[in-house]
Amino acid sequence: MADISAVTTAAQDLASKDEESLVMLIGMLEGEIKKNPAIAQDPYYQPKYDGNTMGLMDDVKRLGRRVLNRWNKELHGLVCGGKTGDQKDRDAILSALNLGEVAVIGAVAAALMGLAVPAPIAAALAPLIVRKFIWPAKDELCTAWGEGIAGSQ
């Protein structure tokens, strides 16, 4: 398993990327990890787009959105689902809300790693999920997050 502190740092480094760039990155990473599973341990891995081997950009983005939707639902269940085994990750994310967006990105990246998300995908998903679903709704987190998931499908 990749080092969680490296994954959280990589996630925080990716926070400056826009949503479309992160979705594209997630789609490329998903495809590259299927070809070479060793990549799953490198949170800093940044594939270069190659239309000859990756397909059309729209297809890569579609894959990235599917990956986002899957892990976003899983993370929502972890934070808002109320299972006892998830208490540590849930508490870390909720506590980080008081510390700022960067802290939440780190906590989300760590929680995604706990869900067995490959390191580079967790690093790219964390800032996207935080910016799109968690941070805008931090005051009514679970309700608004659930509504955001329902609206993105």
Side-chain angles (χ1 to χ4, degrees), residues 2-108:
D3 177 48
I4 291 178
S5 65
V7 176
T8 58
T9 300
Q12 292 164 346
D13 291 347
L14 291 171
S16 62
K17 290 190 177 274
D18 63 57
E19 180 178 338
E20 287 305 305
S21 297
L22 289 168
V23 167
M24 183 73 176
L25 176 60
I26 292 163
M28 289 189 300
L29 286 165
E30 181 74 9
E32 292 295 296
I33 289 170
K34 284 182 181 172
K35 291 181 208 169
N36 181 1
I39 293 168
Q41 300 304 313
D42 181 2
Y44 297 100
Y45 184 75
Q46 295 280 318
K48 302 291 182 228
Y49 174 73
D50 179 356
N52 295 322
T53 60
M54 294 180 174
L56 299 173
M57 275 191 180
D58 286 343
D59 293 338
V60 175
K61 286 180 185 177
R62 219 175 342 273
L63 175 60
R65 290 226 179 267
R66 283 197 312 267
V67 172
L68 167 64
N69 289 338
R70 175 184 176 213
W71 291 114
N72 189 36
K73 283 182 195 173
E74 292 291 326
L75 188 64
H76 177 268
L78 180 137
V79 174
C80 301
K83 294 183 208 164
T84 351
D86 302 332
Q87 193 66 40
K88 180 182 165 201
D89 288 330
R90 178 181 313 112
D91 289 347
I93 291 170
L94 296 175
S95 295
L97 287 170
N98 295 322
L99 302 175
E101 186 175 354
V102 172
V104 178
I105 289 170
V108 166

Side-chain angles (χ1 to χ4, degrees), residues 97 130-145:
L97 287 170
V130 169
R131 275 202 316 257
K132 188 169 179 166
F133 297 99
I134 297 176
W135 198 250
K138 65 181 184 263
D139 295 329
E140 297 177 14
L141 179 64
C142 291
T143 302
W145 190 356

